[in-house]
Amino acid sequence: MQGERGTLWSLWAVAATWGINVVMVKYLTGMFSPVVLVALRITMAAVLLLVLWRWRWSGGAGWPKDRKAWVGIFAAGFLSIYLHQLCLATGVRWASAGVASIILAMNPLITSVSAHWLFGESFGWRQAMGVLLGFGGVSLAVLRGGETWIAGPEALRGEALVFVAMLVYVAGGLVIRWIGPRAGAMEITTFSHLFASALLLGTATGTGVWGEAAGWPLDVWPWIVMILSGWGATALGTMFWNVGIQRIGATRTSIFLNTTPAAGVIFGGIFLHEHIGIPEVAGLLLVVAGVYLGSRKGAVRPPKGAAPSTEAISR
């Protein structure tokens, strides 16, 4: 019981950190181009994960088992890290951190629908109601009760990119389901980050954005935020989340994602002075209700032989 309690507290912390991470990424986009920002964050996370994997490997952890596992890991790294992070970092330059967090909170609901169609997983009335509530909440937050154009077309463009970021993240998670038990959570997380890091560094080099280094901040605070985002939210957060999935199951773990949009909205208002109005609050409550309803214990029964969920590939 004591071990499970510690796992539950760590999941609360991770989910809240991911909400704050959206705020940190938006803060950093004011000082770095999206490509440079993502390349630095994911490379930092990949290095730390490689060290942790090597330490665990020495104690008996292994490598992905076959070519199918490697193909799936590379595909997940491309979708859920490379494309996801580029779309997210670019989108939050225009979208508010609070609305971005609400959109990202649709992840488990979209995953449930997709897994039902692709893998035959159970999809009952709870999931259906959860999807309806979630889409209603996101629509309300994005459209702002008819005040969309007050926010401006750039905000809509940013929110659309965040929505794409959420979709490709889900696609990467479904690829991991396809892999099956050919690789453990630590191997999937580590090697997908390494592959995405190589792609991002190549993209940054190919686009010539490293030439902007002369304009990088000289203050220490932005770099502290970068470390907290890369090592804390992305590397350690992903690792502890996957540990939670292994210990208490994917369904119970996913409930803690309710914390993520709340943290994004609250800390976006505190640190970035973003406006939090009635549409955002109402949309947040609808999404939280939808995610909770759709991920209640016993609501989803994965098919026999399905691999453990690895939703937390990268944040």
Side-chain angles (χ1 to χ4, degrees), residues 228-249:
L228 290 174
S229 177
W231 284 357
T234 300
L236 295 179
T238 301
M239 185 183 69
F240 282 117
W241 187 264
N242 287 336
V243 169
I245 289 174
Q246 292 175 338
R247 289 184 178 178
I248 69 171

Side-chain angles (χ1 to χ4, degrees), residues 56 59 94 116 120 130 147 159 168 213-214 216 250 257 266 283 313:
R56 185 180 174 187
W94 301 307
H116 170 69
E147 299 177 358
E159 289 156 3
V168 295
W216 289 0
L257 287 173
I266 292 170
I313 297 172

Side-chain angles (χ1 to χ4, degrees), residues 67-220:
R67 185 170 63 180
K68 181 178 179 180
W70 284 110
V71 169
I73 288 172
F74 290 155
F78 178 75
L79 292 168
S80 291
I81 304 177
Y82 178 76
L83 288 182
H84 170 76
Q85 293 289 345
L86 284 178
C87 290
L88 178 62
T90 305
V92 296
R93 291 188 106 179
W94 301 307
S96 73
V99 173
S101 297
I102 294 172
I103 294 172
L104 293 174
M106 287 292 295
N107 181 323
L109 301 180
I110 301 299
T111 299
S112 296
V113 176
S114 303
H116 170 69
W117 287 105
L118 295 175
F119 303 113
E121 293 192 4
S122 172
F123 188 82
W125 69 269
R126 288 190 179 92
Q127 286 71 49
M129 287 299 298
V131 169
L132 291 176
L133 287 172
F135 273 117
V138 168
S139 299
L140 185 60
V142 170
L143 297 178
R144 297 172 183 84
E147 299 177 358
T148 300
W149 298 109
I150 295 179
E154 286 191 347
L156 279 179
R157 188 183 312 133
E159 289 156 3
L161 280 172
V162 173
F163 188 75
V164 172
M166 184 269 295
L167 291 179
V168 295
Y169 187 82
V170 169
L174 294 173
V175 169
I176 297 301
R177 296 284 186 92
W178 170 75
I179 293 176
R182 292 176 172 81
M186 190 67 191
E187 290 72 49
I188 291 170
T189 306
T190 300
F191 291 111
S192 61
H193 276 80
L194 287 171
F195 175 64
S197 173
L199 283 178
L200 288 165
L201 291 174
T203 300
T205 302
T207 55
V209 292
W210 294 120
E212 303 172 5
W216 289 0
L218 299 178
D219 297 337
V220 67

